[in-house]
């Protein structure tokens, strides 16, 4: 038997090879990149993942794990001639233990489902990427996904307590455990964010938190983006630690209005600040926040009086990406990070670049942690426009690194940004990553062609 | 074997290249971890110290690994900020590097998380003498392999840390501590489990065996008073420590272990506590709602922990600090990549 026959024997009726069947797996949410895999495997249990990875190892076939394919950086782009291991069918919550405040899940479980299942116990899973109704925990783990609450609560890595991983050579390892504290190297923490290069997560132990008792959500409108950015600095200087601080610019406000009628005022910069915690503490913080925002030059302040009004404020923000999609046939999203105090400078420079390249850029971002989300709008049918959009996006990335930030706050490097890795990391840093990869995956089968730029190997 | 006292990252690199086996020491507060073994050169990092960058508005600082925690905390305090994971043994000279390598967090970890939740970036010298950077200096970052997280609890297995970046938060303006005593462990545990599920935003929630709970609140004066009242409605009057700062400093310096020959950290969970309480352990305290135990012990206690198969880390008083030693293909691969010649501890 050859590789495909063995794979089919392992997963009867669950190996896709037909052209039409493969089409949906050819790309992820970064649609500018497409590759046709040899086959798509649909395991339903972790033993089957193990079996599939072992076969790949034995035959030297590259593989890419896939959740819901919402990666914005080409992370789940297939490798030509390789296998996609699609994990959506492994979507069971294996254990939800409120006393231990943990959930043990399969990798194909959708992020939002965990919070839904935990809600009756007054608990929730904190990381909330905007894609949370579709993206999977396996994908979240691979990318160390974030969301709107990272300044206060951290990213996926901070909420993963343990992992069961199938290594690229087909061994099963358990990393971490169930406690918030461990002893010995934090190997599970290290695995999170390695973008599937070091193995496939087949079981994930998550920490759950008590749901905040009270929220206080404010929408503030500003005559300029910079004024909105300055307001964020004032909030921080006042010693407050909001759960979320989000900014949208005019273009994304307009888009959100068209898409979901969030009722946002048509201004240059909109700031959403959300406080959360015990009701007495939130009440005190709200007083301070009101004073700060009053002095920040806001044109209008809106405070959500109940949960419905709070949801209305968030609705436009949560829908912003897909809404901007309506303004333009295609767009690229970047998610570089800058130190918070450099936000104003970064935004001015992005506006300048937008004019220079003749492409519109919409800005929606996590202001509390300096995580930009410039959406570069382009039309892929116009010759040269994609290339121009990519060049503009690249300039934005360099800008972030130059200002002391990062290439990515949460969307990962994938294929899209690997060429920029040398801008942020020295050759020795990249070599160390390469060595770790080589030690765990000497054939380079797991997610080949992602994260690590080819130049390292050439230079090594 | 000589004691090496590098004063710059380059001198650390030279030292690593020059000696086949090394052990780093920060402040030496965890002698079980930092005392050189036969054939190991001691790399004393106490001269590689100082704050390199601190911008209060960014909630981030970067410092040399040999910097004493206490020195950093003083700088933070001047700007109304703190290290929310509350590194233990700060008052005894613990350094940032030693804290990360040992992987230790103190009682205030309950509110916002532990060391692993606040470490943002590292520069370290690997076993080939290369300077490697992982993570970054901003509060959010997902680029590249996160070597900084690998350092947490590593006992220096993958390299010598020279520079570390951390996230910090605003300090609570006011604090109060409520201490309540229960009849027995069972009752105390029942309350502990109940409290863990409530959105109280406690700074600390400790169980002191056999049956005492300590809860610390922080925030605005008026809010703290009101929340204290709510806690008392829930748990009874108890005893209120108004000037509670010194008390918690004592706890995080592990003062309650002073008289014990062996100090041990044991990851826990509330459901494990009855089992742990049946073991012959000395003075002890469960931090963070029962998620971790710091205990004093004798050889007998250590043996009991091993026999029960409970993972633990000895901070002072034992030859082999870590149980179990890291195993498995994943650890072995990472170790081989970063320390192929086996210069550093473990593996
Ligand atoms: C006279 C005297 C009396 C003392 N009395 C006490 C006492 O009563 N109580 C007490 O608690 N302490 C006492 N000490 C010890 C103490 O004060 C220390 O100096 C010290 O605490 C700090 O240790 P550390 O946290 O930096 O970690 P260390 O104990 O130095 O190191 C912990 C672990 O981290 C590793 N490590 C450290 N730095 C790095 C790095 N940069 N990179 C990689 N790995 C690293 C080490 O190899 C080790 O595995 C005493 C010391 C003296 C000299
Ligand atoms: C509209 C929209 C909004 C978004 N908003 C956010 C946001 O707010 N914050 C944010 O962080 N991201 C956001 N994203 C990006 C994306 O949703 C996340 O990166 C998400 O974690 C991907 O999950 P997925 O299940 O779709 O994974 P996929 O796209 O299928 O895979 C992502 C990567 O993970 C790997 N992988 C998948 N499963 C496993 C596994 N079990 N083990 C090992 N590796 C695995 C894949 O190989 C790939 O490299 C958004 C995307 C969209 C389309």
């Amino acid at each position: 038997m050859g590789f495909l026959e063995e794979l089919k024997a392992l997963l009867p009726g669950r190996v896709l090879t037909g052209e039409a069947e493969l089409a949906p797996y050819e790309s992820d949410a970064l649609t500018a990149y497409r590759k046709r895999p040899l086959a798509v495997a649909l395991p339903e249990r972790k033993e089957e993942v193990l079996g599939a990875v072992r076969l790949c190892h034995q035959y030297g076939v590259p593989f890419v794990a896939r959740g819901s394919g919402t990666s914005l950086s080409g992370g789940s782009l297939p490798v030509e001639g390789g296998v996609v291991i699609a994990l959506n069918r492994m979507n069971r919550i294996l254990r939800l233990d409120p006393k231990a405040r943990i959930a043990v899940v399969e990798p194909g479980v959708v992020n939002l489902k965990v919070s839904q299942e935990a809600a009756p116990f007054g608990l929730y899973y904190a990381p909330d990427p905007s894609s949370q109704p579709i993206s999977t925990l396996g994908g979240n783990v691979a990318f160390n996904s974030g969301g709107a609450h990272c300044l206060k609560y951290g990213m996926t890595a901070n909420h993963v307590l343990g992992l069961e991983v199938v290594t690229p050579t087909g061994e099963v390892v358990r990393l971490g455990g169930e406690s918030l504290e461990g002893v010995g190297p934090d190997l599970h923490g290290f695995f999170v964010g390695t973008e599937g290069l070091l193995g496939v997560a087949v079981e994930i132990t998550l920490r759950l938190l008590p749901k905040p008792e009270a929220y206080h959500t404010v929408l503030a409108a500003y005559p300029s983006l910079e004024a909105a950015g300055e307001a964020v600095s004032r909030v921080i200087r006042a010693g407050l630690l909001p759960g979320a601080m989000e900014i949208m610019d005019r273009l994304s406000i307009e888009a959100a209005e068209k898409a979901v009628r969030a009722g946002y005022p048509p201004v240059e910069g909109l700031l959403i600040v959300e406080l959360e915690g015990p009701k007495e503490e939130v009440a005190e913080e709200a007083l301070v926040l009101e004073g700060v925002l009053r002095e920040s030059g806001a044109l209008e302040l809106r405070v959500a009086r109940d949960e419905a009004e709070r949801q209305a404020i968030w609705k436009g923000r949560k829908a912003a990406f897909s809404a901007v999609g309506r303004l333009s046939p295609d767009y690229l999203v970047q998610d570089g990070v800058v130190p918070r105090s450099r936000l104003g400078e970064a935004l001015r420079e992005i506006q300048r670049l937008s004019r220079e390249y003749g492409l519109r850029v919409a800005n929606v971002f996590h202001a509390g942690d300096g995580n930009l989300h410039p959406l570069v709008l382009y039309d892929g049918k116009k010759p040269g426009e994609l290339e121009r959009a990519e060049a503009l996006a690249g300039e934005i990335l360099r800008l972030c690194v130059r200002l002391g930030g990062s290439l990515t706050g949460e969307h990962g490097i994938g294929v899209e940004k690997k060429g920029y890795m040398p801008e942020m990391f020295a050759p020795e840093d990249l070599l160390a990553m390469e060595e770790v990869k080589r030690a765990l995956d000497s054939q380079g089968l797991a997610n080949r062609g992602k994260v690590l730029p080819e130049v390292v190997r050439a230079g090594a | 074997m000589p004691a090496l006292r590098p004063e710059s990252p380059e001198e650390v690199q030279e030292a690593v290249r020059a000696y086949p086996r090394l052990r780093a020491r920060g402040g030496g507060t965890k002698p079980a971890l930092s005392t050189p073994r036969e054939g190991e050169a001691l790399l004393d990092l106490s001269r590689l110290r100082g704050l390199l960058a601190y911008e209060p508005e960014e909630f981030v600082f970067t410092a040399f690994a040999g910097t004493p925690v206490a020195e950093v905390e003083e700088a933070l305090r001047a700007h109304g900020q703190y290290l929310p994971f509350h590194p233990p043994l700060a008052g005894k000279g613990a350094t940032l590097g030693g804290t990360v390598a040992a992987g230790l967090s103190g009682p205030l970890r309950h509110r916002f998380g532990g060391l692993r939740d606040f470490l943002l970036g590292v520069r370290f010298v690997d076993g080939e003498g290369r300077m490697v950077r992982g993570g970054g200096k901003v509060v959010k970052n997902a680029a590249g392999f996160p070597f900084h997280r690998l350092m947490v609890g590593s006992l220096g297995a993958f390299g010598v840390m020279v520079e570390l970046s951390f996230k910090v938060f605003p300090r609570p303006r006011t604090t109060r501590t409520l201490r309540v005593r229960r009849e027995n462990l069972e009752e105390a545990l029942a309350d502990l489990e109940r409290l863990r599920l409530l959105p109280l935003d406690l700074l600390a929630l400790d169980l002191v065996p056999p049956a005492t709970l300590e809860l610390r609140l922080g925030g605005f004066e008026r809010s703290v008073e009101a929340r204290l009242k709510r806690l008392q409605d829930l748990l009874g009057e108890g005893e209120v420590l108004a000037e509670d700062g010194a008390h918690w400093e004592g706890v995080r310096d592990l003062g309650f272990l002073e008289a014990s020959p062996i100090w041990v950290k044991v990851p826990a969970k509330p459901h494990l506590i009855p089992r742990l309480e049946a073991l012959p352990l000395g003075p002890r305290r469960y931090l963070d709602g029962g998620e971790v135990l710091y205990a004093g012990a004798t050889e007998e206690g250590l043996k009991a922990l091993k026999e029960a198969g409970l993972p633990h880390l000895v901070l002072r008083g034992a030859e082999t600090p870590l149980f179990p030693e890291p195993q498995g293909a994943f650890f072995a691969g990472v170790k081989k990549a970063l320390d192929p010649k086996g210069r550093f501890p473990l593996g």
Side-chain angles (χ1 to χ4, degrees), chain A residues 28-29 64-72 75-76 87 107 128-131 134-140 142-147 191 195-196 199-202 321-322 331 366 373 410-411 447 450:
Chain A
D28 53 28
V64 178
R66 183 182 173 106
S68 296
T70 65
S71 160
L72 292 163
S76 37
L87 297 160
D128 61 343
S130 306
S131 59
I134 2 167
S135 69
T136 66
L137 285 153
N140 291 178
F143 271 170
N144 191 17
S145 296
F191 184 88
E195 302 197 17
V200 182
V202 290
F321 278 20
S322 48
Y331 67 87
H366 307 305
H373 281 334
E410 51 183 22
H411 296 168
N447 230 350
K450 315 285 168 68

Side-chain angles (χ1 to χ4, degrees), chain A residues 59-230:
Chain A
Y59 285 90
V61 176
F63 61 89
V64 178
R66 183 182 173 106
S68 296
T70 65
S71 160
L72 292 163
S73 57
S76 37
L77 181 74
V79 177
E80 226 145 313
V83 173
V84 171
I85 302 180
L87 297 160
N88 296 83
R89 293 191 182 189
M90 289 177 60
N91 60 1
R92 285 168 302 175
I93 293 181
L94 300 172
R95 184 152 75 88
L96 196 142
D97 183 342
K99 277 192 175 174
R101 282 195 358 201
I102 59 167
V104 181
V105 305
E106 290 185 326
V109 170
V110 164
N111 174 305
L112 192 58
K113 174 116 180 277
V114 179
S115 288
Q116 285 166 348
E117 298 285 317
F121 307 102
L123 299 172
Y124 78 118
Y125 175 64
D128 61 343
S130 306
S131 59
Q132 73 178 155
I134 2 167
S135 69
T136 66
L137 285 153
N140 291 178
V141 162
F143 271 170
N144 191 17
S145 296
H149 296 84
C150 296
L151 177 63
K152 194 164 180 179
Y153 295 105
M155 312 184 31
T156 300
N158 307 111
H159 300 269
V160 170
L161 303 180
L163 289 169
E164 189 168 331
V165 169
V166 173
T167 69
T169 54
E171 289 179 72
V172 180
V173 291
R174 280 206 154 265
L175 314 175
E178 296 191 349
S179 172
L180 295 179
E181 284 273 319
V183 291
D186 193 344
L187 299 171
H188 56 296
F190 179 63
F191 184 88
V192 177
T194 50
E195 302 197 17
L197 268 69
L198 306 183
V200 182
V202 290
E203 202 178 289
I204 307 166
T205 303
L206 303 169
R207 85 164 152 171
L208 303 175
L209 300 179
K211 258 171 85 161
E213 181 182 50
Y215 293 96
H216 178 82
T217 311
V218 185
L219 184 80
Y222 291 92
S224 72
L225 257 192
E226 274 148 278
E230 174 55 25

Side-chain angles (χ1 to χ4, degrees), chain B residues 25-225:
Chain B
R25 185 172 70 192
T29 39
K30 281 111 19 209
L33 312 179
S34 57
T35 308
R37 312 299 196 260
E38 183 73 37
E40 288 180 346
L42 175 66
L43 194 56
D44 176 347
L45 294 167
S46 56
R47 292 191 189 170
L48 194 66
R49 65 193 272 177
L51 209 51
L52 295 164
Y54 170 38
E55 288 176 56
E57 204 185 302
E58 298 294 342
F59 287 179
V60 175
F61 75 86
T62 299
F64 279 129
T67 313
V69 170
E71 197 175 305
V72 171
E73 291 191 331
E74 207 181 292
L76 297 178
R77 197 188 311 264
H79 290 92
Q81 299 185 336
Y82 77 130
L83 272 170
F85 69 92
H86 211 199
L89 299 172
K92 301 282 184 183
T95 62
L96 294 174
T99 301
V100 173
L104 303 183
S105 306
L108 297 193
R109 93 179 297 299
H110 184 64
R111 174 66 189 95
F112 292 109
L115 167 61
R116 72 191 302 265
D117 302 306
F118 286 87
L119 182 61
L120 300 175
V122 68
R123 281 212 304 155
F124 67 101
V125 177
D126 75 2
E128 300 283 48
R130 292 180 298 221
M131 187 68 70
V132 178
R133 189 159 76 82
K137 296 178 181 174
V138 278
V139 295
K140 193 170 180 187
N141 170 30
F145 289 4
F147 288 122
H148 55 299
R149 289 199 285 275
L150 187 60
M151 298 294 132
V152 175
S154 67
L155 302 183
F158 308 108
V160 182
M161 289 170 256
V162 298
E163 193 187 296
L164 294 158
S165 299
F166 289 89
K167 176 164 89 169
V168 299
F169 278 164
R171 253 182 111 69
R173 294 159 214 242
T174 323
T175 56
R176 292 279 185 286
T177 297
L178 177 67
R179 185 184 282 150
V180 291
R181 290 175 214 280
R182 292 293 173 253
E183 286 297 311
N184 51 44
L185 179 67
E186 228 165 71
E187 281 181 28
L189 271 179
D191 279 334
L192 186 78
E193 292 191 332
R194 192 151 60 106
L195 290 165
R196 279 167 57 95
L197 288 171
L198 298 177
L200 300 167
D201 281 10
L202 299 175
L203 290 176
L205 172 57
D206 282 13
L207 168 65
V208 190
T212 301
L213 293 174
E214 289 183 359
L215 298 77
R216 193 182 199 198
L217 282 167
F220 287 85
E221 179 88 41
R222 257 188 307 186
S223 137
V224 168
E225 287 308 330

